[in-house]
Amino acid sequence: MADDLGDEWWENQPAGADRSPEASDDEGGGDPEMMQQETAPVPALSKKTEQVTPKECFLIQPKETKEDATKTRRRRKKKITDVLAKSEPKPGTPEDLQKLMKDYYSSSRSVIELEELNLPDSCFLKANDLTHSLSSYLKEICPKWVKLRKNHNEKKSILMLIICSSAVRALELIRSMTAFRGDSKVMKLFAKHIKVQEQVKLLEKRVVHLGVGTPGRIKELIKQGGLNLNPLKFLVFDWNWRDQKLRRMMDIPEIRKEVFELLEMGVLSLCKSESLKLGLF
C-alpha cells in the first residue's frame, strides 16, 4: 500500500521539478524564517554609510589677487627705474666719437690709417650738456641760422643734417625743433613709408634746408646721387637719447656701422677742411 502511495505522489509532481525526497522536504517542509533570511534582498548602503576611499592630498596655491598683481607690477617698475637711474647717460664728448671709431676700425686698419681717422678739435661744436631741448641746442650752435638758410639756394643738398636711430625718433625730433626751424624746409630722410626714388625727386625739385633721418637712408641717397654733401655745414648726432632698451644710437651695432660708413663717404674730409662742424645732441 505504501508503494502505491509513493508512486501516486511521484506521478503528481510537475515536470522538471526535483523529485527526490530531499528536494520535497526543502521546498515544502523547510523553515519559513530561514527561507526569508536567504531570499530577503540586502539593503543598499546609503551614501552616508559608504566606505570612503582615501584620496591624494594636493596643496592649493592661493590665487593672486588684484592687489598682489599691482604690487608685483610696482616692484617691476621700481626695478626699471633703478636701472635707468644707474645708467643715466653722460653728455657725449668728441672723445667718445673718436674712441668708438678707433675701436671699430682697429681690427681692419693699420696704425697709420687709424691716425688718419682722427678729427681736429676745431671741427666739433659744443656738445649738449643734457639741459637743452633740440631747438635751444641748435640755436646755440648756429646763432646765424636765419641768414644762412636765406642764402642757400642749391638743390639736391642741405645745410644741416640730423642723424638718429629710427624713423619714429626722426619724427619726434622734427616736432621738437619747431622753434628753431621757422620757415626752413625740412625733409624726412628715412626709409619707412618713403621710397628712395621719391626722396631723390623731391631733392631735385626744391631747396631743402634741414634733413632729419637715419644713416642707412642718407647713405643710399648719396650713392644714387640724390644728395650732395659739399654744401653741408652742420652734422648733428642724436647722441644722448636712449630707447626702451636703454641703448643710445651708437650702442646699436647696425646703426654704428652705418654711421661710420657714412662718415667715410665725404664727411671726414669735409670736417678736416673745417667746412663742416659736428655736434653731439
Side-chain angles (χ1 to χ4, degrees):
M1 184 70 179
D3 295 336
D4 294 339
L5 290 174
D7 294 338
E8 185 179 357
W9 176 86
W10 186 266
E11 293 174 356
N12 290 333
Q13 293 301 312
D18 187 358
R19 298 184 182 184
S20 63
E22 292 81 3
S24 64
D25 292 339
D26 291 339
E27 290 182 3
D31 188 352
E33 292 183 1
M34 290 298 294
M35 291 178 66
Q36 287 180 1
Q37 290 179 2
E38 291 177 358
T39 59
V42 179
L45 293 174
S46 65
K47 293 183 179 180
K48 293 183 180 180
T49 59
E50 286 180 0
Q51 185 177 2
V52 179
T53 56
K55 297 182 179 180
E56 294 185 30
C57 181
F58 296 96
L59 294 176
I60 301 175
Q61 296 294 335
K63 293 183 178 179
E64 186 179 18
T65 62
K66 291 183 178 180
E67 185 178 354
D68 295 335
T70 304
K71 288 181 180 179
T72 304
R73 286 196 296 270
R74 286 177 182 173
R75 284 198 294 270
R76 288 175 182 172
K77 287 183 179 179
K78 287 180 181 180
K79 289 180 181 179
I80 295 173
T81 305
D82 293 340
V83 172
L84 284 169
K86 291 178 180 179
S87 61
E88 185 177 355
K90 296 179 180 179
T93 63
E95 289 75 17
D96 294 335
L97 178 58
Q98 300 274 34
K99 184 179 183 303
L100 284 175
M101 289 180 65
K102 287 184 178 180
D103 293 342
Y104 181 80
Y105 289 112
S106 60
S107 61
S108 59
R109 301 289 176 93
S110 63
V111 177
I112 297 175
E113 289 174 331
L114 289 175
E115 290 178 358
E116 292 177 352
L117 295 174
N118 290 333
L119 295 172
D121 293 337
S122 59
C123 78
F124 285 96
L125 297 163
K126 183 179 179 180
N128 179 22
D129 58 0
L130 303 182
T131 62
H132 283 286
S133 66
L134 181 57
S135 286
S136 64
Y137 176 70
L138 296 179
K139 285 180 179 179
E140 182 175 344
I141 64 173
C142 185
K144 298 181 180 180
W145 173 251
V146 176
K147 181 180 178 180
L148 188 64
R149 70 173 177 83
K150 285 183 178 179
N151 295 330
H152 177 66
N153 54 14
E154 293 185 41
K155 296 178 181 179
K156 299 174 63 174
S157 65
I158 50 180
L159 289 173
M160 181 180 290
L161 182 60
I162 301 174
I163 299 177
C164 57
S165 59
S166 67
V168 175
R169 178 58 179 166
L171 294 174
E172 291 177 358
L173 292 173
I174 291 173
R175 288 193 292 266
S176 66
M177 61 191 293
T178 304
F180 170 78
R181 70 183 188 184
D183 297 332
S184 305
K185 301 297 181 183
V186 182
M187 189 167 177
K188 304 168 186 175
L189 302 177
F190 49 76
K192 192 173 184 180
H193 306 309
I194 307 175
K195 294 181 180 180
V196 65
Q197 292 82 5
E198 295 176 1
Q199 292 171 330
V200 170
K201 290 179 181 179
L202 288 174
L203 288 167
E204 291 175 347
K205 289 181 179 179
R206 64 185 185 185
V207 175
V208 179
H209 305 103
L210 271 162
V212 184
T214 55
R217 177 48 60 92
I218 295 169
K219 276 172 48 188
E220 190 61 29
L221 288 169
I222 296 172
K223 286 180 181 179
Q224 296 197 17
L227 182 60
N228 178 19
L229 293 181
N230 289 330
L232 186 64
K233 300 300 179 185
F234 300 95
L235 178 61
V236 179
F237 293 102
D238 185 29
W239 191 271
N240 297 305
W241 181 81
R242 298 196 178 204
D243 63 10
Q244 293 180 347
K245 296 182 179 180
L246 307 179
R247 300 176 301 178
R248 298 174 302 172
M249 176 181 70
M250 299 300 280
D251 293 330
I252 304 172
E254 297 82 3
I255 302 297
R256 183 170 62 247
K257 177 178 180 292
E258 291 179 339
V259 166
F260 290 143
E261 290 176 353
L262 175 61
L263 292 180
E264 289 194 283
M265 296 177 71
V267 174
L268 293 177
S269 59
L270 291 172
C271 290
K272 291 179 180 180
S273 66
E274 299 188 357
S275 64
L276 175 62
K277 304 292 184 181
L278 298 179
L280 305 179
F281 171 64

